[in-house]
Amino acid sequence: MARLFLLCLLGLASLISAVDITGRIQWNEICPGPRQLGPTKVVLDNGKMSGSVVANGSFTIYEVPLGVYILSVSSHDHAFDLLRIDVLQDIVEARPYMPATPLNPVYPTLLAYPLVLTPRVHHKYFVPPESFNILGMLKSPMVLMMIFTGGMVLAMPYLMKNMDPESLEEFKEQQAKMAKMQSAITSGDFKSGFSAMMAGDEPKDKEPTTSKSLPAASGKNKGKKRK
């Protein structure tokens, strides 16, 4: 009985020393009202204790024992600052808190109590697709290569008209050689393809020049006819 009585006394003492943490959400341009805020909870130590935000923006976390806690706001669409909460005997002290920083030494700046929490960021989960931008397409290297190739195809007939016959014949030979190389590589005959690519122009045999001799005289000049 004595042990049970002692446990009851300890439980009663802990309830007496517990404190309710209260505060409210301050509406601003980022979150103008409860409709935009949606279902939101104010939690201590990642859910160890929590209190819901009601329609007027206020919240209460009931019966918080003595100790040090990190207060955060669990909201789907908005982000809030973290706070360090020190629950002392009938006193609640609130201080700014930076994530991943030690709890000691204690930050000297005290915040007002009851707590006033302000929305800082509105999360945007939907990003609208970008509209058609022709200038953005022209920045693509593939588009520039396609434009250059199309320009060369359109300009080639005009260039070939102005070429002299020898240059035109050489150009046609180079095209035939490239077509042969591509056909060989496509069919899997890489050896023939590389041979066609590396082969130089075959030297053309010069046609032998024939000298035309003057026709020989069929006969000797006859003497002058006598009258």
Side-chain angles (χ1 to χ4, degrees):
M1 291 294 295
R3 185 177 299 177
L4 182 59
F5 181 72
L6 181 60
L7 291 175
C8 291
L9 287 177
L10 291 175
L12 183 61
S14 63
L15 290 176
I16 294 174
S17 60
V19 178
D20 296 341
I21 297 177
T22 60
R24 64 181 178 87
I25 304 295
Q26 183 176 2
W27 312 121
N28 56 10
E29 295 180 356
I30 299 175
C31 183
R35 184 177 179 182
Q36 290 77 15
L37 180 64
T40 302
K41 285 186 176 183
V42 180
V43 300
L44 296 177
D45 289 348
N46 295 323
K48 187 176 181 180
M49 286 167 285
S50 64
S52 298
V53 178
V54 297
N56 62 357
S58 63
F59 61 89
T60 301
I61 305 176
Y62 296 98
E63 298 179 358
V64 180
L66 304 180
V68 180
Y69 305 91
I70 302 300
L71 182 143
S72 60
V73 179
S74 177
S75 175
H76 183 268
D77 296 327
H78 297 84
F80 294 77
D81 294 332
L82 299 178
L83 300 181
R84 169 190 169 137
I85 303 298
D86 292 274
V87 179
L88 308 175
Q89 189 71 32
D90 298 332
I91 298 176
V92 176
E93 295 181 350
R95 294 178 173 85
Y97 177 75
M98 294 297 295
T101 57
L103 295 176
N104 291 313
V106 180
Y107 197 75
T109 303
L110 284 174
L111 302 178
Y113 186 81
L115 304 174
V116 178
L117 305 179
T118 304
R120 299 299 183 185
V121 179
H122 180 259
H123 299 303
K124 295 181 179 180
Y125 299 101
F126 174 75
V127 179
E130 296 182 1
S131 59
F132 178 76
N133 187 3
I134 190 170
L135 295 179
M137 289 183 61
L138 293 177
K139 295 179 181 180
S140 173
M142 297 299 297
V143 175
L144 294 176
M145 290 177 62
M146 292 174 60
I147 294 175
F148 176 76
T149 305
M152 290 298 297
V153 170
L154 294 176
M156 189 60 64
Y158 301 97
L159 295 176
M160 293 180 66
K161 286 182 181 179
N162 299 326
M163 294 174 66
D164 57 288
E166 294 182 359
S167 300
L168 182 60
E169 187 68 23
E170 184 178 355
F171 177 74
K172 289 182 178 180
E173 291 179 0
Q174 292 293 335
Q175 280 189 328
K177 185 183 297 183
M178 292 297 296
K180 182 179 178 182
M181 180 191 68
Q182 291 179 357
S183 177
I185 293 178
T186 304
S187 61
D189 189 3
F190 295 100
K191 183 176 181 181
S192 300
F194 284 111
S195 298
M197 182 176 62
M198 299 300 295
D201 294 332
E202 295 180 358
K204 297 180 179 179
D205 296 335
K206 294 183 179 180
E207 296 180 356
T209 56
T210 57
S211 59
K212 296 181 180 180
S213 58
L214 296 175
S218 57
K220 296 180 179 179
N221 292 334
K222 295 182 179 179
K224 294 181 181 181
K225 293 181 180 180
R226 293 181 181 179
K227 292 181 180 180

